[in-house]
Amino acid sequence: MVTVETIDLGLIDYKEAWDFQEQLFNRVVEEKLEQRTAGVHPKTPTKNYLLMCEHAHVYTLGKSGDEKNMLLNNELLESKNATFYKINRGGDITYHGPGQLVVYPILNLDNFFTDIHQYLRYLEEVVILTLNEYGIKGGRVNGLTGVWIDGDNPLKARKICAMGVKCSRWVTMHGIGFNVNTNLDYFNFIVPCGINDKAVTSVQKELGREIDMNEMKQRLLDNMANIFSFNFVKQLNTQH
C-alpha cells in the first residue's frame, strides 16, 4: 500500500505554503524522471505528501479565471487585511482564511490511477463522507466541481467545499478549501468560483456551532486514506 506523508502546517501565509508545495511537487517529479531514466516501472512508489493548513485572508485566481470576479481593488483588499494571487491551478476565484481547512495533496497518481476526473470525484467523496459524520448531507452539482448542500435545489444550493488542482506528469498539487469555521463574509467580495447565483456555507453555519478543527482534520484524513487506499505517516506542526 502507498504511504503518504501528512504534514500539518497550521496557520500559514499563502505564498509560503505555495512555495512549499512547489518544492515537494518538484521533488516528486524529479524522482519520477530519475526512475524513468533508470528504467524503473512507472508504478514503483515515490514519495507522496498531503499538506493540511489554514491561511490568513487571501483570494486566489486560477489560470482559467476572470479577474472581474474579484470585486475589491488593492485599497479595499488592504482594508480587509487580505491578499490576492494569480496562481497555476484550475478553476476561477476563491477565498481562503482562518477557519477554513485547506488540503494540498501532492500525489504521484501513477501510484493510484491516472485519471484526473476520478481524482476530483475522490476528493469530493472524501468531503461528502466527512460531512456525513457530522450529520450533514453533502453532494455534487452536475457540471460543477466541489461539494454542495442541497445541490439538487437551485434555490437552496450552497457550496461548502471548493476545489482547484494542478496535475503535471501525473503529479498533483493545490487541492481543496473546506469551509469549517470560515468567516463567510469574505465571500461577499468575490464571485465565488465564477458562479454568481449560488451561496456558500460552512459546517459551523449548518450546525450552529463551532467545530473542533483537529477533530475535523483527523476525520477527513481517515476518509482520504480509505478512499485512496493509502497509509499515512502523520507529522503535526512540522517546521519545514
Side-chain angles (χ1 to χ4, degrees):
M1 187 176 285
V2 178
T3 297
V4 175
E5 184 174 323
T6 303
I7 305 172
D8 189 337
L9 298 173
L11 181 64
I12 184 172
D13 175 77
Y14 184 83
K15 183 63 164 58
E16 185 179 355
W18 187 10
D19 288 344
F20 188 43
Q21 276 196 85
E22 292 274 9
Q23 176 187 329
L24 296 178
F25 174 85
N26 290 334
R27 185 183 301 172
V28 175
V29 169
E30 287 168 8
E31 185 178 349
K32 288 187 70 172
L33 294 176
E34 288 171 0
Q35 288 184 351
R36 184 176 301 172
T37 301
V40 176
H41 190 278
K43 289 192 179 294
T44 300
T46 57
K47 274 269 195 175
N48 298 273
Y49 303 91
L50 189 146
L51 309 182
M52 308 180 86
C53 65
E54 297 174 60
H55 290 307
H57 303 298
V58 61
Y59 297 100
T60 66
L61 182 70
K63 59 187 179 181
S64 59
D66 186 342
E67 198 164 345
K68 292 178 182 177
N69 290 324
M70 161 56 79
L71 307 180
L72 295 176
N73 58 28
N74 289 336
E75 183 179 346
L76 289 172
L77 263 176
E78 187 174 344
S79 74
K80 299 297 179 184
N81 295 315
T83 53
F84 173 66
Y85 291 99
K86 296 178 183 179
I87 62 173
N88 59 350
R89 61 160 170 78
D92 206 286
I93 196 165
T94 196
Y95 161 77
H96 301 301
Q100 184 189 77
L101 176 54
V102 180
V103 182
Y104 297 129
I106 301 161
L107 307 179
N108 175 9
L109 291 184
D110 278 328
N111 297 156
F112 300 94
F113 46 78
T114 50
D115 184 329
I116 194 62
H117 296 289
Q118 182 180 348
Y119 174 66
L120 289 168
R121 301 297 81 77
Y122 271 32
L123 290 180
E124 291 166 350
E125 190 64 22
V126 168
V127 176
I128 290 168
L129 289 173
T130 304
L131 287 170
N132 188 59
E133 294 180 24
Y134 288 87
I136 299 172
K137 185 179 180 181
R140 300 176 176 86
V141 173
N142 287 337
L144 300 174
T145 59
V147 178
W148 302 74
I149 310 297
D150 289 326
D152 56 351
N153 184 336
L155 297 178
K156 295 176 64 178
R158 52 207 184 275
K159 196 171 195 176
I160 199 165
C161 181
M163 297 186 179
V165 303
K166 172 187 174 181
C167 183
S168 178
R169 299 182 185 273
W170 294 115
V171 178
T172 67
M173 64 179 291
H174 299 297
I176 72 171
F178 181 20
N179 294 328
V180 181
N181 300 313
T182 315
N183 182 347
L184 300 176
D185 290 345
Y186 276 80
F187 285 99
N188 294 332
F189 308 119
I190 59 173
V191 180
C193 304
I195 303 168
N196 59 14
D197 63 345
K198 290 184 174 61
V200 293
T201 190
S202 68
V203 180
Q204 181 182 33
K205 183 175 182 179
E206 295 297 317
L207 296 182
R209 62 180 174 87
E210 188 171 351
I211 306 303
D212 183 287
M213 186 64 86
N214 286 329
E215 177 187 83
M216 178 64 78
K217 288 176 181 177
Q218 187 62 55
R219 290 186 175 190
L220 188 136
L221 185 57
D222 288 342
N223 284 320
M224 190 161 188
N226 288 333
I227 290 292
F228 282 84
S229 298
F230 66 70
N231 291 320
F232 57 83
V233 179
K234 196 171 185 181
Q235 296 187 19
L236 290 178
N237 300 317
T238 298
Q239 296 297 313
H240 59 276

